[in-house]
């Protein structure tokens, strides 16, 4: 039986921002129901211990996010949430004190990624205030993400864009150095106990409109991760935000059968040979990160 270190559940396909780095989904706007969520957890329990509320959409928009966390705890899961952090104030009481919540990832690059964003200091300050409160009362781990670097991060505008945020972090955590001095792209920098900063290049979603790349490559899809979209569609990884590689639907077929199905096994075996058998995978640059 396949086991996954990361199991992505798209709790909603709706987002309150329209970031330039995140293509808007063409799928129907939807929120997972409590019944469908509960049934899904029962199906995936033999396959994973860790849930990630993330594919497309903003998980803190889900009106019953607190119930989703409670159900996850009841069924023995630990939850990781990736969020833009703009809805923390109205959801604070739904998050603090939830034993299932293991980690929160804040996409700080959402501020500049969303055209029309205002009050950067207030945005970052709100996130830091929440973290401060949670550090004192919970065991949650926090990852602050700035995934907006260009290949050379050369222009003054680009440097200043992140410098404003880095300055706030340096002040908050009383760092005796400028973050750039200790920064290694793609690696987490520990700011304080249970708080990390991760900087990387701007993320590019795979797209069928891109050119195919037939060179060798590897991916952990269906090895250490799998994902289910809000409508129940199973996809091999969190990068298939439109359900292009539709492996089946948990509302019609048990998850255990879907991940052992012909299309799933063909993809898995292909990457064992360092070969991308799916068109979307041949148009995804992420597999280059894992070597050949």
């Amino acid at each position: 039986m396949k086991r996954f270190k990361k199991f992505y559940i798209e709790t909603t396909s709706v987002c309150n921002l329209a970031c330039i780095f995140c293509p808007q989904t063409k799928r129907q706007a939807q929120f997972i129901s409590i019944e469908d969520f509960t049934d899904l957890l029962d199906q995936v329990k033999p396959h994973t211990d860790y849930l990630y509320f993330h594919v497309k959409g903003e998980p803190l928009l889900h009106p019953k996010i607190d119930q989703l966390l409670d159900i996850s705890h009841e069924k023995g899961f630990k939850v990781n949430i990736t969020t833009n952090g703009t809805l923390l104030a109205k959801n604070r009481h739904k998050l603090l004190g939830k034993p299932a919540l293991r980690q929160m990832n804040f996409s700080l690059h959402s501020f500049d990624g969303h055209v029309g964003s205002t009050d950067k200091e207030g945005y970052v300050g709100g996130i830091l205030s929440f973290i401060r409160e949670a550090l004192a009362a919970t065991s949650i781990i926090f990852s602050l993400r700035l995934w907006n670097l260009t290949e050379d991060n050369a222009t003054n505008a680009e440097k200043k864009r992140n410098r404003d945020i880095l300055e706030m972090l340096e002040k908050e955590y009383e760092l005796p150095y400028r973050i750039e001095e200790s920064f290694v792209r793609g690696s987490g920098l520990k700011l304080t106990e249970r708080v990390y900063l991760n900087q990387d290049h701007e993320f590019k979603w795979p797209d069928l409109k891109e050119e195919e790349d037939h060179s060798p490559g590897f991916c952990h899809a269906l090895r250490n991760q799998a994902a289910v979209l809000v409508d129940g569609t199973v996809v091999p990884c969190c990068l298939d935000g439109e359900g292009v590689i539709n492996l089946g639907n948990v509302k019609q077929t048990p998850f255990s059968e879907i991940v052992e199905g012909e299309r799933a096994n063909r993809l898995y075996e292909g990457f064992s040979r360092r070969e991308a058998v799916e068109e979307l995978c041949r148009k995804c640059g992420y597999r280059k990160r894992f070597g050949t």
Side-chain angles (χ1 to χ4, degrees):
M1 179 177 291
K2 289 189 174 82
R3 291 275 301 174
F4 305 106
K5 293 179 182 177
K6 300 178 179 180
F7 190 85
Y8 294 90
I9 297 179
E10 185 183 65
T11 56
T12 178
S13 57
V14 181
C15 190
N16 62 321
L17 299 184
C19 296
I20 55 176
F21 55 79
C22 187
Q24 300 300 295
T25 181
K26 300 177 182 65
R27 294 179 286 118
Q28 179 184 355
Q30 208 172 334
F31 292 84
I32 196 168
S33 69
I34 294 297
E35 294 72 26
D36 286 346
F37 182 78
T38 302
D39 178 65
L40 176 58
L41 294 202
D42 288 338
Q43 291 194 46
V44 304
K45 182 57 183 171
H47 298 275
T48 191
D49 298 316
Y50 295 97
L51 307 178
Y52 288 69
F53 290 179
H54 175 59
V55 179
K56 288 290 186 75
E58 167 53 54
L60 297 192
L61 269 177
H62 199 293
K64 297 179 179 178
I65 184 73
D66 49 345
Q67 292 183 47
L68 301 185
L69 289 169
D70 288 340
I71 294 166
S72 299
H73 176 63
E74 289 166 11
K75 294 186 176 294
F77 292 97
K78 289 295 183 182
V79 176
N80 301 265
I81 293 178
T82 297
T83 172
N84 58 44
T86 58
L87 303 174
L88 274 178
K90 62 177 64 176
N91 284 286
R92 173 191 156 280
H93 65 290
K94 294 183 178 182
L95 300 170
L96 294 175
K98 296 299 183 184
L101 188 51
R102 172 186 174 270
Q103 180 168 325
M104 293 191 72
N105 307 314
F106 292 104
S107 301
L108 299 183
H109 47 279
S110 299
F111 184 88
D112 288 311
H114 178 72
V115 178
S117 293
T118 58
D119 189 15
K120 183 183 289 187
E121 189 171 347
Y123 165 67
V124 176
I127 292 173
L128 295 180
S129 175
F130 176 83
I131 292 175
R132 204 179 305 131
E133 185 176 3
L135 287 177
T138 75
S139 59
I140 301 171
I141 301 165
F142 296 97
S143 173
L144 302 171
R145 296 175 173 178
L146 280 170
W147 289 0
N148 59 0
L149 303 181
T150 57
E151 287 298 325
D152 56 6
N153 202 35
T155 70
N156 288 331
E158 286 166 348
K159 288 179 179 177
K160 183 169 190 327
R161 175 181 60 188
N162 283 351
R163 175 94 296 266
D164 294 340
I165 293 179
L166 299 183
E167 207 167 273
M168 287 183 252
L169 299 181
E170 290 162 1
K171 182 179 179 182
E172 174 73 17
Y173 299 111
E174 300 179 338
L175 302 182
Y177 57 84
R178 282 170 66 94
I179 286 172
E180 291 93 331
E181 298 169 3
S182 301
F183 157 64
V184 177
R185 186 184 72 78
S187 297
L189 175 66
K190 186 174 182 179
L191 302 179
T192 191
E193 198 64 35
R194 291 189 280 127
V195 182
Y196 300 85
L197 172 67
N198 189 285
Q199 297 186 80
D200 212 328
H201 294 156
E202 183 175 308
F203 178 75
K204 188 173 183 181
W205 289 82
D207 192 324
L208 289 177
K209 296 175 184 174
E210 298 291 328
E211 287 188 22
E212 288 196 21
D213 178 358
H214 291 272
S215 61
F218 179 76
C219 181
H220 291 287
L222 297 181
R223 275 182 162 75
N224 73 4
Q225 66 168 284
V228 174
L229 303 182
V230 68
D231 66 354
T233 299
V234 178
V235 291
C237 73
C238 63
L239 306 188
D240 187 358
E242 291 304 296
V244 174
I245 308 175
N246 184 340
L247 301 175
N249 193 295
V250 294
K251 295 180 181 180
Q252 284 97 45
T253 308
F255 177 80
S256 294
E257 291 182 24
I258 292 173
V259 291
E260 294 296 349
E262 181 182 350
R263 190 173 187 181
N265 284 328
R266 194 168 63 243
L267 181 146
Y268 184 100
E269 291 161 5
F271 278 122
S272 295
R273 304 187 302 269
R274 302 308 190 256
E275 176 188 345
V277 300
E278 290 283 349
E279 181 185 358
L280 188 68
C281 299
R282 294 194 293 272
K283 297 179 176 182
C284 177
Y286 215 75
R287 61 194 173 96
K288 298 298 183 182
R289 296 192 178 200
F290 307 111
T292 57

